[in-house]
Amino acid sequence: MQGPIPTGCKPLDKYLGGGLPCDTITLVYGEEETGKTTFAIQCAVNCAKMGQKTLFIDCDNSFSVQRLNQMTMKRFDSIAELIILTRPNDFLEQAVIMDRLAEYVTKNFSLTIVDTFTSLYRLRVSEYPSKTFELNRELNRQLAVLAQTAKTKGIPVLITSQVHSVLNDLPAAVEPVATRVLEFWSSTIIALKPTENPQTIRMTLEKNLSGQEVKTWKTAIEESGIHDCYGH
Ligand SMILES: Nc1ncnc2c1ncn2[C@@H]1O[C@H](COP(=O)(O)OP(=O)(O)OP(=O)(O)O)[C@@H](O)[C@H]1O
Ligand SMILES: [Mg+2]
């Protein structure tokens, strides 16, 4: 166990007491292209800079070597070898990975990331709407496994979730249920919202372990990652 993993966003790290808290789940949510994956990769990079391994469960096929290269520069090789990438093809494969989490938690292992946690679930629900109840139960079970692993092994878990417009292909009741389940299991919740400038994102710490009031500030998405936004 290493301790909190710095996110690299200074105000956030300050409010969180160093970074992603150990023992619990942190949820980052936002609309498309608000930097959730960039944020997740950045946390994995920071974990690797501490000599620690990350399990990166890439459910969207959006982890890009090119993006990692931009964010690590000359340290690419030493950082990449500490990121264990796994790509479930469907919600069932995602379930199998959750069940085998303990196998990944070996020496020098300090972070688990699931990006985007709900995309394969959503796909399955849209294919099999009559199974929504079972799928919700499975979603809940996977979060329980993650929360338990975080707690017993003292390893931070970071999950991301995409906010969808009301007009989508899922049954009307699915969206609020999934959101409630994610919020229930997450001790720390960070919202990413677009601004009028596509390179600038509003970051809000909506819930944290110390129960502080909601904090909000601006960040910039740059080639090297998500950073503080100076001059705003
Ligand atoms: N090299 C780069 N330099 C600057 N900005 C970049 C770079 N690569 C990507 N971006 C910006 O990052 C944003 C997308 O980030 P990211 O993929 O992390 O979003 P996301 O929230 O994970 O999206 P999704 O909901 O589709 O998964 C886009 O606005 C894109 O313009
Ligand atoms: Mg993404």
Side-chain angles (χ1 to χ4, degrees), residues 37-62:
T37 299
T38 307
F39 181 89
I41 296 175
Q42 185 160 309
C43 291
V45 167
N46 290 340
C47 185
K49 284 181 178 168
M50 297 159 84
Q52 300 291 310
K53 289 182 202 154
T54 294
L55 172 65
F56 198 112
I57 306 171
D58 178 17
C59 307
D60 296 339
N61 234 333
S62 58

Side-chain angles (χ1 to χ4, degrees), residues 72-83:
T72 53
M73 306 292 286
K74 290 191 180 115
R75 297 178 70 178
F76 177 82
D77 288 339
S78 61
I79 286 174
E81 71 180 22
L82 289 170
I83 301 175

Side-chain angles (χ1 to χ4, degrees), residues 31-39 60 67 70 115-116 162 198-199 221-223:
E31 289 169 32
E32 58 186 356
E33 305 246 305
T34 45
K36 302 178 296 295
T37 299
T38 307
F39 181 89
D60 296 339
R67 191 78 181 103
Q70 289 175 333
D115 177 50
T116 300
Q162 197 189 55
Q199 300 301 113
I221 308 186
E222 295 162 356
E223 194 163 300

Side-chain angles (χ1 to χ4, degrees), residues 14-142:
K14 188 180 85 188
Y15 298 136
L16 293 179
L20 300 178
C22 305
D23 312 343
T24 55
I25 296 176
T26 297
L27 167 68
V28 173
Y29 78 91
E31 289 169 32
E32 58 186 356
E33 305 246 305
T34 45
K36 302 178 296 295
T37 299
T38 307
F39 181 89
I41 296 175
Q42 185 160 309
C43 291
V45 167
N46 290 340
C47 185
K49 284 181 178 168
M50 297 159 84
Q52 300 291 310
K53 289 182 202 154
T54 294
L55 172 65
F56 198 112
I57 306 171
D58 178 17
C59 307
D60 296 339
N61 234 333
S62 58
F63 186 101
S64 121
V65 170
Q66 190 197 359
R67 191 78 181 103
L68 183 66
N69 200 16
Q70 289 175 333
M71 291 166 70
T72 53
M73 306 292 286
K74 290 191 180 115
R75 297 178 70 178
F76 177 82
D77 288 339
S78 61
I79 286 174
E81 71 180 22
L82 289 170
I83 301 175
I84 307 159
L85 191 63
T86 163
R87 289 199 161 124
N89 290 311
D90 57 37
F91 195 48
L92 300 180
E93 284 189 21
Q94 182 173 321
V96 171
I97 294 171
M98 297 299 157
D99 290 335
R100 297 177 59 186
L101 268 188
E103 293 174 25
Y104 292 98
V105 185
T106 51
K107 206 163 152 268
N108 296 339
F109 183 91
S110 285
L111 179 61
T112 301
I113 294 174
V114 192
D115 177 50
T116 300
F117 187 78
T118 42
S119 47
L120 298 172
Y121 155 84
R122 296 176 60 86
L123 202 64
R124 193 88 185 160
V125 170
S126 62
E127 282 168 0
Y128 302 96
S130 64
K131 295 227 175 343
T132 300
F133 179 78
E134 286 94 326
L135 291 166
N136 284 342
R137 205 162 51 186
E138 172 58 21
L139 190 76
N140 194 60
R141 189 193 71 86
Q142 290 189 16

Side-chain angles (χ1 to χ4, degrees), residues 194-208:
T195 65
E196 58 291 341
N197 176 353
Q199 300 301 113
T200 306
I201 298 294
R202 177 160 286 286
M203 189 177 274
T204 304
L205 179 58
E206 294 186 343
K207 176 178 171 186
N208 70 15

